[in-house]
Amino acid sequence: MGTDADLLAVVPLDTERAKDSAVTGAKAAHLARAAVEGLPVLPGFALVPAGRAKGAPTGVEALRRAWSELTGEGGRPLVVRSSSAHEDTEDSSMAGRFASVLDVGGWEEFTDAVRTVLESARRVQVLHPPEGRHTDPLDGMAVLVQPMLRAVTGGVMFGADPVEGREDRILVSAVSGGPDRLVDGSTQGVRYQLSRSGRRLGSEPAEPRSARLLGRRETTSLARLARRTQRVFGRPQDMEFGFDAEGRLWLFQARPITAMAVRPPRGARLLGPGPVAETFPGVLQPLEEDLWVAPMSHGLTLALDIAGAAPRRKLRTLPLVSTVGGRAAADLRLLGAVRSAHPLRDFINPAPGARRVMAAWRVGRLRSALPLLALDLMADVDRHLADFPAPRQMLGGQLLDAVAWGRTVLSSLHAQESLAGALLPSGAGATGAGEALAVLAEGRAQGLGDGQLLVRHPVLLSLLPPTLGDRGALPETTVAAGVPHGVGALPVREGLRLRIRWVQEMQVGMVRELGARLRVDDGAVGMSRLLLLRWSELTGAADGGGLPPDLAERLPRPDVPALPAAFQLADGHPVARILDGRGRTGAGQGAGGGIGTGVAWDGHGDRPERAVLVVSALDPALAPLLPGLAGLVAETGSVLSHLAVLAREYRVPTAVGVPDAPDRFPPGTDLWVDGGTGAVEKSGERSAPETPASRKGAAA
C-alpha cells in the first residue's frame, strides 16, 4: 500500500478501544461490543486513521503482521468491509452504500481491497434523511477486516418486525450461502416470521417440510441470538448471520433497526374514507374542517343516537368523522360499514338486544314522521338562504352569524339525511347529481358557461365538492342525460343532500367576504391565509381579538395521497388493514414507507415530478434516487434488503416481490403504492369511493 499504510493504525476487535465507534466506526464497534459480551463473532481488526488511535501500531509492518495472523498458515481468505461513523446508526443505516470486498486472497489483493473500500467513501454523498444534512463521507471512515466464512445458509434477521412495528415477532430472510446475495437485492430468499422463542409462524414462499432452508434447530438458534443481541444493545437489532458447515451460527453484523414502524395501540379504531369521501374527496384545510367536518360528525352521531344504533357511551367519547392529513375519515365500525370485531360477544350480550327493541320502536315512529320533518327542515333552510342579502351588503357580525347558523343547520341536515338514507325508500332513484347532469346537458346545448349555469341552476353544485379555495370546473358532458324535472322532484334524502351543499356554498361566500374585510398590515387577509385559521380563531379575530401571531408561518396542508380503504392510526399516521383477509391482486410484500401515488419511472431519462421507481431488483446502486420518490416497486428483493431499509429511512412507500412489475407498470403509468400491504395498482383501476361528479343517477 505504500505510504497509505503509514496513515493507518491497526485496532484488534478484542480490545477495549475497538468498542468506540468514534475510533473504529459503528460496524466494527458493534461487533467488538458483541464479541466482548460472548456473542458468536469472528475475530478481526479495524484499520483507522492513525491520529484517531494514538498508541496503536501503524505502518506497513503492523498491517502485514495483522493480516498474516488473521489469514493463518493456510492463507484463508478475508472479507474487507467499510465501518463508517455514518452507517449503522440509529437514524441512518447507509445500508450497502459503501463497498465490501469478499473472498480476498493474497497480500496484494488485500491492499487493493482496502483501497477499494476507502475509495467508495469518496464516491458516496452522505445524506441524513430526517434532517437532510450532507456530511463528508471520509469523516469517520474505517475498514473492517475478518475471515471469510463459507456459509451454508445465511441471511438477514430483524429482532422485530419493522413494517408492522411489532416487537413480539422476529423476521428472517434466508438464502443458501452467505447473506450477500440477499442484501444486494438480487435474491428474494425465503422469508420467515418467528415468535420470540423461534417457533415458525409463517414462511413465504411456502416450503415443504422435508426441504426447509431453516429447520427447527436453526430457527431456535436465530431467536436466541436475536434475544441476546437485544439484551446487549438495549433494543432489537438488524443482523446479518451465517451457519457454517458444522451448523454453528455466526453474527456478521448488528445495527439498530431504522425506520421502525409505529404499531397502532391495542383497540385502535378502524377508520376509512368510504362513507364520507363522496362528500369530501380531497384534502381539507383547517377552516374547512371546522365548518364542514365537525357538523357532519355531530349530525351522524345524532342520527346513530336517535336510532339507537350504537352505544351512547361510545358516541360521546369519540368523533364519528375526523381528518387524517386533511382527508376525511369515519369510524367504520360505528357506522356499520364493517362487521363488529367481536361478533360472538355481541351475540351473547343482552344490551344490543335491548337497543334493538328500543330502536325498532323509535324507527317505527321515525319512518312515519321523518318525511314531514325533512320537508319542514328543507323549507326552513330555503327560507333562510333566500333571506340572506349579498355578502358585501352585510355587516361583519351578520356574516359571522350566517356562517355560525350554517354550522348548526348542517348538523341537523346531516342527521336527517343519514336517517332518511337508512329508513326511507329511495323513490324513483333520482339523485341530485343525476338532475344536475340533465340540467348541465341542456345548458351546454344552449352555450352557457359555468358561471351562468351555477347562478341559474344551483343544483349543479352537487357536481362540485365544497371548497374555500378555487372552485373546480363543471364536467364537459355531451352525453344525453334525460330531461330535468326540478329540485322538488327529488326524494327526501337527495333534497337534504342538496341543501347541505347549498349551505356550504353560502358559507363560502360569507367567509370570502370576511377575508376581504379582515386587515393585516393594511392589507386584506385573503382566502389563502383565512382558510388556515380554526373557526374559534376566525371568530376571535372578527370580534377584535386579532389574528394569531404565527399565521404568516402557517402552511397549507399538502395534497397527500388518498387514505387506505380501512386503517388504524399509529402516532397520527394511517396503517392499512385488509378487511377480508386477502391481499390485492398482484400485490407484493409491504416494505413500509406509507402510501404514495405518482408516475412509474424506470430510472432512465427525465424523472417525473412524482416518480414511482419500478425496477426488477433492489440494487443498492439505486440509493441516490431514493430522496423525493413517491414510491418504490420491485419485482424481486426482500423487505430486509439494504435498499428496502434505506427506502424506509427516506419514508418512500415500498412494495417488493411484485410479480412482473416492470412489464405491468411501464414508465408513465399512474400508480398507487401501499407500503403497508404491498398493494400496487394503476390509479385508474383502483377501486375508490364514488364522487358526486361520477354518480350518474337514474335521471342520467
Side-chain angles (χ1 to χ4, degrees):
M1 289 189 65
T3 58
D4 289 350
D6 296 331
L7 304 177
L8 297 175
V10 178
V11 179
L13 288 183
D14 58 0
T15 61
E16 189 67 24
R17 179 181 286 167
K19 295 165 57 179
D20 186 353
S21 61
V23 175
T24 59
K27 186 180 300 179
H30 292 168
L31 287 177
R33 182 176 172 186
V36 169
E37 296 293 337
L39 297 180
V41 176
L42 293 166
F45 58 87
L47 300 177
V48 305
R52 204 190 301 163
K54 297 186 183 303
T58 61
V60 176
E61 289 304 317
L63 180 56
R64 188 156 196 142
R65 185 165 51 252
W67 167 80
S68 178
E69 291 175 357
L70 200 58
T71 56
E73 294 183 1
R76 60 181 173 178
L78 305 179
V79 56
V80 180
R81 297 189 287 169
S82 65
S83 181
S84 167
H86 304 300
E87 60 181 336
D88 296 354
T89 67
E90 294 184 5
D91 298 323
S92 177
S93 66
M94 292 294 292
R97 298 302 309 277
F98 303 113
S100 293
V101 185
L102 309 180
D103 208 9
V104 177
W107 169 253
E108 294 297 329
E109 191 175 344
F110 167 66
T111 57
D112 287 344
V114 172
R115 203 174 288 113
T116 297
V117 171
L118 291 174
E119 285 294 329
S120 73
R122 294 186 173 91
R123 296 191 299 270
V124 172
Q125 185 180 57
V126 180
L127 174 65
H128 297 274
E131 302 87 6
R133 293 183 291 103
H134 294 273
T135 310
D136 181 4
L138 281 174
D139 180 27
M141 173 59 80
V143 179
L144 173 64
V145 183
Q146 291 179 287
M148 176 75 184
L149 179 73
R150 304 290 183 187
V152 175
T153 306
V156 176
M157 174 169 61
F158 277 43
D161 187 334
V163 179
E164 294 284 339
R166 300 186 60 163
E167 293 198 11
D168 61 339
R169 296 287 185 267
I170 297 171
L171 290 188
V172 177
S173 283
V175 293
S176 297
D180 50 291
R181 293 192 305 124
L182 181 69
V183 298
D184 67 10
S186 61
T187 304
Q188 190 162 340
V190 181
R191 183 187 184 195
Y192 298 89
Q193 188 181 66
L194 308 178
S195 69
R196 297 287 294 173
S197 64
R199 181 169 57 89
R200 187 193 314 266
L201 303 176
S203 62
E204 189 177 345
E207 297 177 293
R209 181 180 292 271
S210 59
R212 286 178 174 171
L213 196 59
L214 298 178
R216 176 64 179 175
R217 189 178 73 84
E218 287 80 13
T219 58
T220 301
S221 298
L222 286 170
R224 185 182 304 115
L225 177 61
R227 296 194 303 271
R228 293 178 63 193
T229 307
Q230 180 172 345
R231 282 197 296 270
V232 169
F233 293 100
R235 56 181 292 184
Q237 298 289 295
D238 166 2
M239 295 155 278
E240 293 181 19
F241 67 88
F243 288 95
D244 62 19
E246 286 73 40
R248 289 176 297 185
L249 173 61
W250 294 94
L251 177 66
F252 297 152
Q253 183 171 311
R255 61 185 173 206
I257 298 176
T258 57
M260 183 80 170
V262 182
R263 190 181 180 191
R266 186 178 181 86
R269 291 194 298 162
L270 187 67
L271 304 173
V276 294
E278 180 180 356
T279 305
F280 304 118
V283 173
L284 297 167
Q285 299 303 325
L287 187 55
E288 295 173 325
E289 180 182 341
D290 286 356
L291 292 183
W292 302 327
V293 176
M296 171 186 271
S297 180
H298 184 245
L300 295 180
T301 300
L302 285 175
L304 291 180
D305 187 36
I306 291 170
R312 185 169 291 178
R313 174 180 52 83
K314 286 187 177 180
L315 294 176
R316 285 176 173 172
T317 57
L318 299 170
L320 201 59
V321 183
S322 56
T323 61
V324 179
R327 290 191 177 271
D331 190 308
L332 297 180
R333 297 201 190 281
L334 285 177
L335 285 178
V338 297
R339 293 183 58 192
S340 168
H342 307 286
L344 179 59
R345 189 177 70 187
D346 290 346
F347 177 76
I348 62 177
N349 183 2
R355 281 203 303 272
R356 282 194 292 270
V357 171
M358 290 297 297
W361 179 79
R362 291 172 178 170
V363 165
R365 293 170 59 87
L366 276 173
R367 188 172 282 122
S368 61
L370 189 57
L372 294 176
L373 293 173
L375 289 174
D376 286 344
L377 178 59
M378 288 189 289
D380 185 62
V381 169
D382 292 347
R383 185 169 54 254
H384 273 80
L385 292 176
D387 289 343
F388 285 129
R392 64 180 177 275
Q393 299 173 1
M394 299 172 68
L395 299 174
Q398 292 175 311
L399 294 172
L400 276 179
D401 289 344
V403 178
W405 170 83
R407 296 183 79 227
T408 302
V409 79
L410 280 175
S411 293
S412 300
L413 286 167
H414 280 297
Q416 291 208 23
E417 185 265 336
S418 177
L419 290 170
L423 305 178
L424 301 181
S426 59
T431 65
E435 175 70 14
L437 288 171
V439 169
L440 182 62
E442 283 194 358
R444 292 285 191 228
Q446 297 170 13
L448 300 177
D450 283 11
Q452 295 170 298
L453 285 168
L454 287 167
V455 169
R456 296 186 185 185
H457 305 288
V459 68
L460 292 171
L461 287 171
S462 62
L463 300 177
L464 300 172
T467 177
L468 290 174
D470 295 331
R471 180 196 290 155
L474 291 169
E476 289 292 339
T477 179
T478 56
V479 180
V483 177
H485 295 277
V487 173
L490 294 176
V492 169
R493 186 189 186 194
E494 290 298 314
L496 290 165
R497 291 165 68 98
L498 191 56
R499 268 67 181 189
I500 290 172
R501 188 65 190 87
W502 288 350
V503 171
Q504 292 167 339
E505 197 64 18
M506 177 275 296
Q507 292 176 307
V508 170
M510 304 297 177
V511 170
R512 285 183 184 277
E513 182 65 22
L514 280 170
R517 296 187 190 184
L518 286 175
R519 316 295 290 180
V520 176
D521 297 330
D522 295 328
V525 174
M527 284 304 302
S528 62
R529 287 291 164 199
L530 200 67
L531 53 77
L532 302 183
L533 295 172
R534 309 306 312 208
W535 170 243
S536 59
E537 293 173 332
L538 176 58
T539 57
D543 289 338
L547 291 165
D550 66 339
L551 181 59
E553 285 75 44
R554 296 185 189 182
L555 297 175
R557 289 170 174 169
D559 187 15
V560 296
L563 295 170
F567 63 91
Q568 293 173 305
L569 287 178
D571 280 359
H573 299 286
V575 177
R577 292 288 179 255
I578 298 177
L579 298 180
D580 57 6
R582 294 177 285 113
R584 298 175 185 267
T585 303
Q589 297 174 3
I595 298 169
T597 56
V599 178
W601 178 53
D602 60 4
H604 303 289
D606 294 337
R607 174 171 175 155
E609 184 176 352
R610 287 188 57 80
V612 176
L613 185 62
V614 181
V615 295
S616 296
L618 294 177
D619 184 349
L622 298 171
L625 303 179
L626 290 176
L629 283 180
L632 173 63
V633 178
E635 183 175 13
T636 62
S638 165
V639 299
L640 307 186
S641 67
H642 282 160
L643 199 69
V645 171
L646 289 172
R648 283 195 293 275
E649 293 176 14
Y650 283 101
R651 301 178 181 88
V652 176
T654 302
V656 303
V658 180
D660 304 317
D663 293 331
R664 290 169 54 207
F665 310 124
T669 307
D670 290 331
L671 293 182
W672 180 87
V673 182
D674 188 334
T677 64
V680 181
E681 299 181 14
K682 297 178 182 178
S683 295
E685 297 178 358
R686 184 183 175 223
S687 56
E690 191 179 37
T691 63
S694 66
R695 266 189 307 128
K696 303 303 181 183

